[in-house]
Amino acid sequence: MTPVIWRRAGPSDAPALSLLGGATFLASFAHDHPGDALIAHISKAHGLDYYQAALADPEQHVIIGETALGAPVGYALLTPPNLPVDPQPDDYELKRIYLLGPWQSGGHGHALMEMALEAARERGAKRLLLAVYPQNDKARRFYARQGFEQIGRMTFMVGDVPFEDLVYARKM
C-alpha cells in the first residue's frame, strides 16, 4: 500500500479537495442514489467554491492525505456543528471523512480519525459529532470502532431527494 502523507490543507488544496470530494461521494453512493440528484449534490457540495470557502474559514479545519507524488487520496473536514441534535457548547462536527477505496482498511482511516480528533481537541471540543448514511455499513462499523454512538437521526438532501442519516457522537 502506498503510504499517505497527512497535513493540514491550505487554500491551494481547494481543487484537489473538490475532485476528491466528488469522487469519493460518487463512489460511496452511486449504487443507490439517483444520478441527477447525485450530480446536483456533488456539483454544489463538492464544488471548488465550497472548498475555497471552507479553507478560508478559520472555524473550519481540513486535513488532506496525499501520496509521496502529491496525489490526493483522503481528507477530513471539521466544522462548527450544524446537526439537529441538542447542541452542547463544546461540540465540533466531523462533517466529512473520506478515503479512496484502495487506501481503506490499511490503517489510514484510523490515522485520519486520530488527526481529526486531535484537531477537535485543539479547538476545545468535548464531543465530536458526525452524520452517516444508515446503509453505509462499513462506515458505521468504522465509527463504532472509533467510539462513536448513535444519538439521533436527520434528513440529508442529495439534490432534491431526501435521505435519512444517523447522527453519531463521541465524547473526547
Side-chain angles (χ1 to χ4, degrees), residues 8-9 14 17 48-62 77-79 96:
R8 176 124 189 222
L17 290 165
L48 184 59
D49 290 346
Y50 178 88
Y51 288 99
Q52 287 172 332
L55 291 165
D57 183 348
E59 295 296 314
Q60 299 191 42
H61 188 103
V62 185
L77 169 64
L78 294 103
T79 69
R96 297 181 180 160

Side-chain angles (χ1 to χ4, degrees), residues 79-83 85 87-94 127 129:
T79 69
N82 185 23
L83 295 169
V85 296
Q88 297 180 9
D90 299 322
D91 284 349
Y92 206 48
E93 180 182 347
L94 179 56
R127 186 171 75 155
L129 307 172

